[in-house]
Amino acid sequence: MSSTATPEKRRTALDALHRSLGATMTDFAGWDMPLRYGSERDEHLAVRTKAGLFDLSHMGEITVTGPDAAALLNYALVGNIASVGLGRARYTMICQADGGILDDLIVYRLADHEYMVVANASNAQVVLDALTERSDGFDAVVRDDRDAYALLAVQGPESPGILKALTDADLDGLKYYAGLPGTVAGVPALIARTGYTGEDGFELFVSPGDAEKLWPALTEAGAPVGLIPCGLSCRDTLRLEAGMPLYGHELSTSLTPFDAGLGRVVKFEKDGDFVGRTALEAAAERAAAQPPRVLVGLVAEGRRVPRAGYPVVADGQVIGEVTSGAPSPTLGRPIAMAYVDAAHSVPGTAGVGVDIRGSHEPYEVVALPFYKREK
């Protein structure tokens, strides 16, 4: 008899705590992560109206340092990282030479010659390998810091007040997509005003050994205003309502940023060459002339939920494909993101449906995002 060994799932520093809270755990990109603690709907609505606390320690942190750190990142990524101010962050992408998206990233500038690249958990090794390979010839060091950080996120309208109770850092002066070093509940942290929910919130990068102290402190500070622990399931419905792409769904190596409607992240005006430039210039021209398919929002007229891979149809013909779909707790109806033919991409286009197991369910084409918070 022979057996195939299954790779052991990685566990975050808060694994025992999640289990003590009764979390339903799931395998996500090789990590054992909390999917939900109770009701997904309750967790989702807590973030929309109060606050939610997430463990995101599966994300991949990569540090790039050295005199050529900015030049390396400008060459390796599609964004203009050299123009990122100290203490600021930027959403960007890393692409293949053919323009296909390897991952979408957030890059934080921590010091003059020090940057932290945060990759999706499923792509962290791919991004690390690509950055390492592309660093040849640059006076810069690419370091795998995935084991150096735990990442906790407090998201929702009550999050500033919760964090203010635990830190003397200048949160009022901390802009969206910025980060500053500080102390939260006595724990050293990089406090970043970023998130993946469509709400105001903060992501706290701390030492794994400090995460067990920080989580209970945040829970206690947030209890009076309704903060609850939240899992990856509601994080997915929150980002879907906010029209935020998820790698492996709206983004992949078969799509360029222009195919995904995110050509704005590609900065052709920056100095020097970068990986994928030639292919992306061609993609930009194609998209300007006539995009083959456009990413749109779909809102169900009925109750059946679309899932990734379901065909989008019109007049009996397949015109696209659902990339993400779920019930929307905020809208009270099923929603989806889908790539559809340009001719059917205008909001309000009539006659569009989703083929759900042979039944063509009617859907309304809408502009993304489905939900935008009031400032």
Side-chain angles (χ1 to χ4, degrees), residues 8 13 48 70 84 94-95 109 114 139 179 197 255 271 288 356 358:
E8 189 167 337
R48 284 278 177 261
V84 177
I94 183 168
C95 290
R109 186 177 181 186
E114 181 179 359
D139 186 3
T197 62
L255 296 169
D271 293 337
I356 301 180

Side-chain angles (χ1 to χ4, degrees), residues 68-116:
D68 289 349
L72 163 58
L73 291 172
N74 258 20
Y75 170 71
L77 311 180
V78 301
N80 189 353
I81 307 306
S83 68
V84 177
L86 194 61
R88 299 307 301 266
R90 183 157 298 166
Y91 176 78
T92 187
M93 293 183 182
I94 183 168
C95 290
Q96 300 178 145
D98 66 0
I101 302 166
L102 282 172
D103 201 13
D104 61 337
L105 313 163
I106 296 181
V107 179
Y108 297 87
R109 186 177 181 186
L110 304 181
D112 282 346
H113 303 298
E114 181 179 359
Y115 298 80
M116 181 169 68

Side-chain angles (χ1 to χ4, degrees), residues 109-140:
R109 186 177 181 186
L110 304 181
D112 282 346
H113 303 298
E114 181 179 359
Y115 298 80
M116 181 169 68
V117 178
V118 181
N120 286 297
S122 57
N123 294 327
Q125 189 64 48
V126 170
V127 174
L128 177 66
D129 292 345
L131 287 175
T132 301
E133 180 184 335
R134 296 174 188 185
S135 69
D136 190 38
F138 290 92
D139 186 3

Side-chain angles (χ1 to χ4, degrees), residues 199-242:
E199 298 297 337
D200 191 12
F202 302 87
E203 295 184 319
L204 308 172
F205 296 85
V206 300
S207 165
D210 288 333
E212 290 177 273
K213 177 181 177 183
L214 186 54
W215 180 284
L218 290 164
T219 300
E220 184 178 348
V225 292
L227 175 139
I228 61 172
C230 294
L232 294 184
S233 184
C234 84
R235 188 169 184 252
D236 189 49
T237 53
L238 288 159
R239 71 92 193 166
L240 176 55
E241 287 185 350

Side-chain angles (χ1 to χ4, degrees), residues 272-354:
D273 195 16
F274 62 91
V275 177
R277 177 190 272 275
T278 301
L280 289 169
E281 286 173 340
E285 289 181 14
R286 289 195 303 271
Q290 179 66 59
R293 283 189 169 175
V294 178
L295 187 65
V296 301
L298 298 174
V299 178
E301 294 182 15
R303 310 302 303 176
R304 298 189 70 183
V305 178
R307 298 297 181 192
Y310 284 12
V312 182
V313 295
D315 300 321
Q317 302 294 315
V318 174
I319 60 155
E321 185 176 295
V322 170
T323 54
S324 297
S328 166
T330 304
L331 275 63
R333 289 193 284 171
I335 60 173
M337 285 199 279
Y339 283 108
V340 302
D341 294 347
H344 295 87
S345 64
V346 178
T349 299
V352 173
V354 176

Side-chain angles (χ1 to χ4, degrees), residues 9 52-53 108 118 146 178-179 224 257 259 275 288 290 372:
K9 285 182 284 190
L53 177 58
Y108 297 87
V118 181
R146 283 176 287 179
D259 297 325
V275 177
Q290 179 66 59
K372 185 178 286 188

Side-chain angles (χ1 to χ4, degrees), residues 43-58:
E43 292 173 23
H44 180 111
L45 294 176
V47 175
R48 284 278 177 261
T49 60
K50 299 169 185 173
L53 177 58
F54 298 82
D55 178 8
L56 306 177
S57 300
H58 60 313

